[in-house]
Amino acid sequence: GRMISTSGIQTQPAQAAVAVGATYQDPRFNNGAGAAETIRRVRGSHLCGDNYARNGFWSPNNQYLILGDSVCSGAYHVTNAVTGAFVGGTLPGFLDWNFDPTDSNRVYYTTGSQLRVYLVSAGTNRLVKSFPSTLEATTSVDIVDASGRYFVVRYGGTTKVWDRIEDAIYTTGAIGRGGAGGWTGITPSANHLVVADGQFYGYALNH
């Protein structure tokens, strides 16, 4: 009959403590060819993070990632992925951060009705776009495509797409799903919106 096999279970071998910044070889995370993967310990304490599903929590050059502090107070930081050091102060906004997929110095976030960008090197932020009403959190996945042109925005109870180059909103076919308790994201190709709201939905985008 149908079953979940336990015959192939692998246990994690004992691992001695690793100093912050040091690396070790872990055969359980391999590169697809059976070779051990090099794992680097970034920080010495537990940190909150929401990067399990977000490419955008990593900078495009893999130099930085976004992590919360050790007590999960809601304070998140750009973090050096090699040294584990926080870069600059606490990030403004909350959770809807997304590195520009082409520029490691830029982190997009929402606050009120605004989409803003945090500049890592300067520790400052500036306005990108003001929308007609308060932006609702999309949560969990990326809000911008791989080119940095198309953004998912949610306001007025529906999810929309904003074209940064043309400064145009895709209003036809705005999606009601993906609000409280769900999430909405855009694929790297910008060909689809992906929505979770009790079930999973995919919506093709006509550019």
Side-chain angles (χ1 to χ4, degrees), residues 73-96:
S73 69
Y76 279 69
H77 305 262
V78 173
T79 307
N80 186 301
V82 174
T83 67
F86 290 150
V87 181
T90 301
L91 281 171
F94 184 69
L95 280 187
D96 264 354

Side-chain angles (χ1 to χ4, degrees), residues 114-188:
Q114 298 179 345
L115 174 68
R116 302 186 69 87
V117 63
Y118 176 80
L119 304 176
V120 177
S121 60
T124 58
N125 64 83
R126 63 178 179 82
L127 177 67
V128 177
K129 170 72 175 177
S130 287
F131 293 90
S133 59
T134 299
L135 293 172
E136 304 164 32
T138 60
T139 70
S140 292
V141 292
D142 295 333
I143 64 170
V144 60
D145 78 307
S147 72
R149 175 172 180 172
Y150 299 103
F151 287 76
V152 177
V153 290
R154 185 175 174 84
Y155 59 87
T158 61
T159 300
K160 308 166 183 69
V161 174
W162 175 58
D163 181 338
R164 180 176 59 84
I165 302 300
E166 299 291 336
D167 191 19
I169 292 285
Y170 290 36
T171 54
T172 302
I175 301 164
R177 294 187 177 99
W183 52 256
T184 307
I186 191 168
T187 59

